[in-house]
Amino acid sequence: MGPDIILDARIQTPLRDFTLDVALVARPGEVLALAGPSGAGKSSFLLAIAGLLTPDDGRIAVGGTTWFDPRARVNLAPERRSVGLVFQEYALFPHMSVQANVAFGGSGRAHEMIARMGIAHLARARPGDLSGGERQRVALARALAREPVVVLLDEPFAALDPVTRTEVRGEVAAVLAGVGVPVVMVTHDLADAAALGARIAVLEQGRVLQEAGHADLMARPASASVARLVGANLLAGTARPGPSGLTEVVLDVGGVVLSGEPGSGRVGVVVDPWEVVVARSRPGGSGLNAIAGTVRSLAPVGNRMRVAVGPVTADITRLSAERLALREGDAVEVVFKALATRLVPLG
């Protein structure tokens, strides 16, 4: 496995409601995450790389070897593609032991991969006797035992409970960092992508909307769809020049907010939940936005409280929630700074 093992995939093929048209590159030791809503074409892209779906057009090359090119009449069978594939439900053989399952991927490295994944003590157990996290480790060990030049992960943590998910994500990130081959992962959870240090390509309707690291997506979503995916608040409205060089946005839901970003016409006002404060009364101050509403829901998230007020969600400390004595149905104000907003175009 050398530094020249680059996955270069361009895939064009009609799906049920749209045409998948995506070109992406994954480099050695890099995790490329495909994120987006269900039915965006993410899994189809993954299956095309594995040879389990034949596109109409495009090209797939790995380390200088062409796997798929219809113009050159090349389409390697799945078994001829050096791919380690981990399915969402792991697809382990229930009648075989952990040792036998991993050896099915590659008998020469089975012992090594079982040890690396910390499951040597489970070598004689069968999948039905394992926890979700243990089955996930077995599936990854089997995929890596093949000594693949590309690793493909389809929602690898979706079946795990939140505590196990956090633990296993860290283990998988450490293992993949030492493999040194391109990794492509499909995920609905950007926390999974962030935990693996992934570059993220956001797909919608078969197209890449934005490609960036997790922090960049959060800080600068390129569209309303990306803003929704990263969990930001999105308020639709019409922008016009405002006071003191700010932009004024008349919201569709009623009210006016200010932004420090330039904009005109139809825009989406993006503000992260942790930039929003909940107050019992409207505070004063220039450059502050306040929207009145009623508390729709309160949900603890870690050491914070997620409060939904009208069209806005705020993440505040539990102490703040207790001091405010918030209850569903309470009339409050959600407050955020003009400089905490971003403006994105609305299609």
Side-chain angles (χ1 to χ4, degrees):
M1 301 180 186
D4 59 339
I5 301 176
I6 295 174
L7 167 66
D8 187 352
R10 293 183 291 111
I11 293 168
Q12 296 174 317
T13 198
L15 301 180
R16 186 176 62 182
D17 299 320
F18 54 83
T19 295
L20 178 66
D21 188 355
V22 172
L24 292 168
V25 173
R27 297 169 182 83
E30 176 183 57
V31 178
L32 171 64
L34 308 183
S38 296
K42 306 182 300 296
S43 292
S44 296
F45 186 85
L46 208 68
L47 293 174
I49 295 172
L52 301 174
L53 180 153
T54 301
D56 277 15
D57 201 2
R59 183 173 182 268
I60 302 170
V62 181
T65 300
T66 301
W67 288 4
F68 172 77
D69 187 344
R71 290 175 175 78
R73 297 184 179 182
V74 175
N75 185 17
L76 296 187
E79 60 271 19
R80 294 185 59 199
R81 303 187 186 198
S82 181
V83 166
L85 178 58
V86 177
F87 293 98
Q88 181 175 342
E89 297 299 330
Y90 311 137
L92 301 175
F93 299 112
H95 63 288
M96 294 167 58
S97 68
V98 166
Q99 175 73 35
N101 265 281
V102 176
F104 186 85
S107 59
R109 299 193 67 197
H111 288 291
E112 175 192 346
M113 296 316 307
I114 286 173
R116 183 181 294 189
M117 293 306 302
I119 51 176
H121 62 293
L122 300 172
R124 295 185 180 181
R126 294 190 178 184
D129 301 322
L130 306 179
S131 68
E134 289 165 346
R135 288 194 294 272
Q136 203 275 353
R137 294 177 180 95
V138 175
L140 183 58
R142 181 178 64 182
L144 296 179
R146 292 195 65 196
E147 297 188 79
V149 296
V150 174
V151 174
L152 306 177
L153 309 175
D154 188 3
E155 293 284 2
F157 311 112
L160 304 179
D161 64 81
V163 174
T164 305
R165 190 175 189 138
T166 300
E167 176 186 344
V168 173
R169 278 193 308 215
E171 294 176 358
V172 170
V175 170
L176 292 178
V179 173
V181 302
V183 178
V184 182
M185 175 178 70
V186 165
T187 182
H188 284 88
D189 190 337
L190 290 187
D192 290 344
L196 269 61
R199 180 165 47 90
I200 304 167
V202 180
L203 270 63
E204 185 174 81
Q205 294 284 297
R207 300 291 192 278
V208 175
L209 300 182
Q210 189 172 356
E211 187 178 343
H214 182 260
D216 289 338
L217 287 181
M218 297 290 290
R220 186 62 53 181
S223 68
S225 295
V226 177
R228 291 190 189 96
L229 180 69
V230 301
N233 291 295
L234 180 72
L235 302 169
T238 302
R240 63 194 183 195
S244 304
L246 299 173
T247 299
E248 189 175 77
V249 182
V250 180
L251 300 178
D252 292 355
V253 295
V256 177
V257 298
L258 299 173
S259 175
E261 293 201 338
S264 62
R266 295 293 294 163
V267 299
V269 180
V270 178
V271 59
D272 295 314
W274 54 86
E275 296 283 2
V276 180
V277 175
V278 179
R280 283 290 183 180
S281 60
R282 181 168 299 222
S286 61
L288 279 181
N289 297 305
I291 300 174
T294 58
V295 177
R296 292 188 291 109
S297 65
L298 298 123
V301 180
N303 63 352
R304 302 181 71 79
M305 185 68 71
R306 183 158 295 169
V307 186
V309 179
V312 177
T313 297
D315 278 351
I316 64 176
T317 65
R318 292 203 187 192
L319 181 59
S320 293
E322 291 169 2
R323 286 175 175 170
L324 291 166
L326 294 175
R327 299 290 184 271
E328 289 187 17
D330 284 357
V332 296
E333 304 272 347
V334 286
V335 182
F336 51 93
K337 296 177 181 178
L339 296 180
T341 67
R342 289 94 72 198
L343 300 183
V344 297
L346 290 181

